[in-house]
Amino acid sequence: MTEQNKAIAAVTDSVPDRSVARKRALAWTHTARFLTTASELTQLPATELPEIAFVGRSNAGKSTAINVITQQKHLAFASKTPGRTQHINLFELGPKSEPNALFADLPGYGYAAVARGAKLRWQQVMADYLAVRRSLAGVVLMVDARLGFTDLDRQLLAFVAPRVGNGAVKLLVLLTKADKLNRSEATAALRTAHAVLGEFSTSQADVGVALFSALKKVGVGEAAEVLHAWSLS
Ligand code: GDP
């Protein structure tokens, strides 16, 4: 085979591989089902399963993203039930008889109206969870693409930075509601995110950022593939 034919073969070979990987990943995320809810770290079940945490400011589009990634209309809305908004909600994935990963939906943050006591409690829960949860394999941070990183997003990143830096925890930032941006705004949002995340990059870190729209289904298959790969690594 000539070099050129080899290159063509590589491209055409990789196309079906990619779509198979994506289908597999989406079939896997679709298996997500509610496991349990906890208001404190100590109430979370100890587990050997890799856990992927979803975090973000209230209204960033976290519930919608979880629902679209798992292709389930109402999965994450348990997290919105009054009285449960400060809880960590766990979902199990994989075969029912042999689950192979967990998703953790963490409380949204940043409501201006929240009292100081509740804010401090949030900080404590998040800092503890992100720093201590042994089975934590990855964090998906939802950031509204129009607003960019807020102070609380940066604070949250700081909580998990040591474990991201040494490669123990992987990080994916989804710039949500990307359908609201035009092309140049989208490029600028990505550039800014890369600059912020540059601070966390080390040779061992696995950090990604992608535009995401639940509405237009942008980045959904890609996100599923990343999470599936995390669960296998
Ligand atoms: P959460 O508080 O982070 O869980 O946010 P939600 O998932 O409840 O979303 C907050 C608001 O953003 C809702 O009104 C959603 O309909 C809207 N939203 C979520 N995802 C998208 C998106 O991809 N595009 C647009 N245009 N709106 C979205």
Side-chain angles (χ1 to χ4, degrees):
M1 213 189 282
T2 65
E3 283 308 308
Q4 192 185 10
N5 281 349
K6 271 189 209 156
I8 292 168
V11 170
T12 46
D13 277 355
S14 69
V15 172
D17 280 358
R18 265 206 18 227
S19 75
V20 168
R22 185 154 305 172
K23 274 193 192 140
R24 245 184 230 146
L26 286 164
W28 174 73
T29 50
H30 188 56
T31 64
R33 62 249 171 209
F34 180 74
L35 178 66
T36 188
T37 184
S39 62
E40 285 176 30
L41 218 56
T42 53
Q43 294 173 351
L44 287 176
T47 175
E48 295 301 317
L49 299 178
E51 191 161 296
I52 296 172
F54 291 78
V55 296
R57 196 174 173 277
S58 300
N59 214 41
K62 177 161 61 72
S63 310
T64 310
I66 293 173
N67 289 340
V68 78
I69 289 170
T70 59
Q71 310 127 77
Q72 300 188 42
K73 281 206 169 85
H74 301 295
L75 189 70
F77 286 119
S79 325
K80 299 233 157 192
T81 314
R84 286 232 182 138
T85 53
Q86 291 296 311
H87 285 212
I88 296 171
N89 293 294
L90 287 189
F91 304 92
E92 197 174 67
L93 291 96
K96 285 217 168 73
S97 56
E98 211 180 332
N100 51 28
L102 298 175
F103 282 175
D105 184 9
L106 269 65
Y109 47 87
Y111 262 137
V114 169
R116 192 177 134 78
K119 280 187 188 154
L120 292 176
R121 188 177 168 279
W122 169 82
Q123 285 180 336
Q124 198 58 52
V125 170
M126 299 299 253
D128 287 350
Y129 175 88
L130 293 168
V132 175
R133 181 72 168 159
R134 212 170 51 81
S135 51
L136 185 65
V139 171
V140 185
L141 170 62
M142 249 73 54
V143 173
D144 188 319
R146 290 164 310 167
L147 303 178
F149 291 83
T150 64
D151 286 348
L152 285 174
D153 294 325
R154 289 168 193 266
Q155 200 179 325
L156 180 136
L157 285 173
F159 293 150
V160 77
R163 298 176 84 187
V164 170
N166 70 18
V169 173
K170 299 174 172 65
L171 175 66
L172 173 64
V173 175
L174 297 179
L175 302 175
T176 59
K177 311 186 197 180
D179 52 277
K180 297 193 177 193
L181 303 186
N182 64 29
R183 216 184 171 81
S184 63
E185 288 168 335
T187 307
L190 267 178
R191 196 178 308 126
T192 308
H194 277 296
V196 171
L197 294 171
E199 295 168 28
F200 299 91
S201 295
T202 63
S203 57
Q204 287 158 304
D206 181 340
V207 176
V209 57
L211 292 165
F212 188 88
S213 166
L215 194 71
K216 292 278 160 71
K217 305 277 191 292
V218 173
V220 177
E222 290 87 340
E225 275 192 65
V226 169
L227 306 188
H228 191 214
W230 286 357
S231 77
L232 299 173
S233 64

